[in-house]
Amino acid sequence: MSLRRRPFSLFRPQQVPDRGVLVENRKLVEAIDRRKVLRGALSLGALTLLTGCNVSQDESVQTVLRAVSDFNDGAQAALFDPNKLAPTYDVSQVVKPPRFNAYYEIEDVRPVDLSTWKLELAGLVKDKRPWTLDAINALPQQEEIIRHICVEGWDYIGQWSGPNLKDFLTRVGADLSARYVAFHGADDYMESIDMASALHPQTILATHYAGEPITDPYGAPLRLRTAVKLGFKNPKWVRAIEVTNTYQQGFWEKQGFNWFSGL
Amino acid sequence: MSDISLHMGRVRDRARRLHPLPLRIMHWVNAVTMVVMIMSGWKIYNDEVIFGFLHFPEEIVLGVWAQHGLQWHFLGMWVLVLNGLAYLAYGILSGRFHRMLLPIRPREVVAEVIAALTFRLKHDDLTHYNAVQKTLYVGVIGAIIFQVVTGLALWKPVQFQGLVSLFGDFQGVRLAHFLGMAAIVLFLVVHVSLALLVPRTILAMLTGGPRLPDAPPSDR
């Protein structure tokens, strides 16, 4: 009889409390306002429907969403094949001039004084002497005709050239086992990428576009160009490179975009 | 002894519902996930529209800024893939797909589409899917798989460049992903309207529906 009334369940306790407990606590049980519980449940349900408003901004919701985003960093790092080359294109497909994109409008671009410009090095680098543009241009040059893909969904084919980043990091004695390479822009923009992507064969320090030196407003005189990251992970107006094991949130990650953002 | 056999009988009865509990859970998880994916996808789309005339109103998108849309989309992605794999495994291993979704005979589809358009299509027996239903269900399962594949190509166009080249280029994948979404939204409109016309189907998807008569062993 008892078996029939109570089908086996892992969630049903083997021993139930004495029913006398209910009598003892009758007042307390009645005090739990069922209307309130119902109202709470309903507003929770309504919250999930009113997503267009501000559920996404809710702190606890953001905590969950950002935790999943961090988890996705790991998933993307696992998907990333350091030996896989991105498709390259014909010089006839190159868009000239490159598309302007920044966190500010084109009229707010702050020009860099090229006569005094130097590339600073910081962090886990043996030789921290700054580099002049002439010295960078004297390094072996690598050209990449690759697709720039923006997180917004647009893309274009660009022709970039400059020294290979892995060669450069090796030359200055950077710790290639460090986790991050961070790029600081003269426009107060900072983004860091993982070392594996920094060492990818198609990652360069671009000083030229379509064979001409990069000019304003396109990130003069040096910008990172990597074929394996979304556009916003390619800082412009680079003034300093830092090799580090400390994670730093980049400009867009602070607003909630995913850090790894690999392609 | 009789108690135990009765108990076992109950368990067997429960397993023979039209929509077993695991299937119902997966259905509703998928329903919520699809809504999240579609609405957050619209938010992402709005950042760089494919069609100049089409901009999804803020009232029906998920997220205040593009980054929210992306956050929701990449959360929903995991739920969709894990739930979807469980659903496919369940459907294939339990024989449910074979039993309820196959075969689809083109002649029946045509006849039943005409019947449906002239409001003569009946859905009295919930345990039997007509050819139109079978086509729609197989179609939407295919569309969701297509969205996972095109979504993967959009997310990682360098790692999955072979997939991207199937659609031309990056924008080709975006368009394919958009069309897959449109197909699923169309399915949703038809599916939800038909379910509302025959409310018993919604109840069945909530409670399990009628118990199935004993099927011959060869059919299981």
Side-chain angles (χ1 to χ4, degrees):
Chain A
M1 210 39 205
S2 63
L3 270 173
R4 191 179 166 187
R5 290 174 72 96
R6 290 192 208 139
F8 171 75
S9 166
L10 286 173
F11 304 102
R12 190 183 299 279
Q14 299 284 323
Q15 305 233 313
V16 291
D18 182 47
R19 293 194 67 83
V21 172
L22 271 182
V23 182
E24 281 170 35
N25 294 290
R26 172 170 264 154
K27 281 232 164 69
L28 180 67
V29 171
E30 279 169 357
I32 300 172
D33 191 339
R34 275 184 291 178
R35 270 171 207 276
K36 267 188 199 154
V37 175
L38 193 64
R39 200 183 303 148
L42 281 176
S43 40
L44 191 70
L47 201 66
T48 56
L49 288 174
L50 289 171
T51 44
C53 297
N54 52 12
V55 172
S56 309
Q57 285 172 304
D58 181 274
E59 217 169 295
S60 53
V61 172
Q62 266 300 313
T63 307
V64 173
L65 291 174
R66 291 191 182 216
V68 175
S69 186
D70 291 346
F71 169 74
N72 280 344
D73 284 339
Q76 293 176 78
L79 274 177
F80 177 65
D81 176 355
N83 299 312
K84 188 150 202 164
L85 295 182
T88 54
Y89 301 88
D90 190 77
V91 71
S92 64
Q93 295 169 279
V94 171
V95 172
K96 283 182 241 180
R99 184 170 166 155
F100 173 80
N101 63 292
Y103 68 93
Y104 42 83
E105 297 302 317
I106 193 163
E107 50 271 18
D108 298 325
V109 168
R110 286 169 279 169
V112 169
D113 183 359
L114 294 186
S115 60
T116 56
W117 183 88
K118 279 198 168 66
L119 177 67
E120 312 277 341
L121 296 174
L124 305 168
V125 178
K126 280 205 190 89
D127 184 354
K128 291 201 179 75
R129 277 178 298 178
W131 285 68
T132 63
L133 190 54
D134 286 342
I136 292 170
N137 284 332
L139 293 169
Q141 303 287 299
Q142 178 179 336
E143 183 178 277
E144 292 294 335
I145 303 181
I146 48 175
R147 196 179 282 280
H148 175 118
I149 295 175
C150 178
V151 68
E152 290 177 323
W154 51 264
D155 69 296
Y156 73 92
I157 293 167
Q159 179 187 10
W160 306 92
S161 48
N164 176 285
L165 181 60
K166 181 185 180 178
D167 289 351
F168 182 81
L169 291 176
T170 310
R171 193 178 290 259
V172 297
D175 178 1
L176 300 187
S177 66
R179 296 178 69 179
Y180 311 107
V181 183
F183 298 84
H184 301 264
D187 55 351
D188 298 329
Y189 189 84
M190 198 288 287
E191 275 295 348
S192 62
I193 62 173
D194 58 293
M195 182 60 82
S197 298
L199 301 181
H200 186 268
Q202 286 167 306
T203 301
I204 64 172
L205 294 171
T207 54
H208 288 68
Y209 186 82
E212 299 289 330
I214 295 174
T215 53
D216 280 327
Y218 304 111
L222 181 87
R223 56 189 278 180
L224 175 71
R225 269 311 280 134
T226 171
V228 293
K229 292 284 184 201
L230 282 169
F232 78 89
K233 300 296 285 186
N234 292 254
K236 301 176 281 285
W237 291 281
V238 173
R239 59 164 184 80
I241 299 176
E242 180 186 3
V243 178
T244 175
N245 282 313
T246 311
Y247 173 73
Q248 301 168 68
Q249 269 197 327
F251 180 85
W252 289 111
E253 288 86 61
K254 284 182 187 154
Q255 345 258 328
F257 283 92
N258 174 267
W259 172 74
F260 194 91
S261 292
L263 287 176
Chain B
M1 180 254 157
S2 62
D3 276 351
I4 289 172
S5 63
L6 269 170
H7 170 54
M8 298 302 286
R10 271 181 84 108
V11 172
R12 263 231 311 276
D13 276 353
R14 202 172 293 160
R16 292 207 47 74
R17 287 276 199 178
L18 169 62
H19 303 308
L21 184 62
L23 188 111
R24 279 177 271 152
I25 294 172
M26 290 186 282
H27 172 271
W28 291 112
V29 167
N30 187 58
V32 173
T33 313
M34 281 323 297
V35 170
V36 167
M37 291 308 272
I38 291 166
M39 290 174 64
S40 59
W42 289 346
K43 181 74 209 180
I44 300 168
Y45 166 94
N46 275 353
D47 232 29
E48 178 75 12
V49 299
I50 300 175
F51 308 105
F53 62 90
L54 181 63
H55 210 91
F56 293 101
E58 286 303 307
E59 292 75 36
I60 57 166
V61 301
L62 180 50
V64 183
W65 299 303
Q67 57 267 50
H68 293 152
L70 289 159
Q71 287 174 338
W72 283 110
H73 215 64
F74 291 137
L75 164 71
M77 164 183 88
W78 292 104
V79 182
L80 179 73
V81 167
L82 293 176
N83 187 60
L85 284 175
Y87 175 79
L88 290 178
Y90 184 90
I92 293 166
L93 296 178
S94 72
R96 183 181 171 90
F97 285 169
H98 181 75
R99 203 166 53 236
M100 299 191 71
L101 299 179
L102 297 173
I104 299 173
R105 297 187 183 87
R107 189 176 299 191
E108 282 176 28
V109 177
V110 173
E112 286 171 11
V113 164
I114 293 169
L117 290 176
T118 52
F119 299 100
R120 283 185 290 109
L121 189 64
K122 290 205 167 69
H123 189 42
D124 293 334
D125 180 7
L126 293 187
T127 63
H128 172 76
Y129 289 161
N130 61 50
V132 173
Q133 278 178 297
K134 287 178 185 174
T135 310
L136 284 175
Y137 295 153
V138 171
V140 79
I141 292 170
I144 293 174
I145 294 172
F146 181 79
Q147 286 308 78
V148 171
V149 172
T150 52
L152 207 54
L154 261 188
W155 189 39
K156 294 285 161 268
V158 171
Q159 306 307 318
F160 300 104
Q161 50 190 274
L163 270 181
V164 175
S165 59
L166 288 179
F167 301 95
D169 58 11
F170 183 75
Q171 294 303 326
V173 184
R174 270 191 92 206
L175 182 62
H177 200 62
F178 182 91
L179 294 176
M181 175 279 294
I184 293 170
V185 170
L186 272 180
F187 166 84
L188 267 177
V189 170
V190 174
H191 182 62
V192 173
S193 331
L194 289 180
L196 290 175
L197 285 177
V198 191
R200 281 185 306 136
T201 56
I202 302 176
L203 202 66
M205 197 43 92
L206 285 167
T207 62
R211 291 177 204 283
L212 296 183
D214 273 334
S218 63
D219 195 32
R220 306 186 67 189

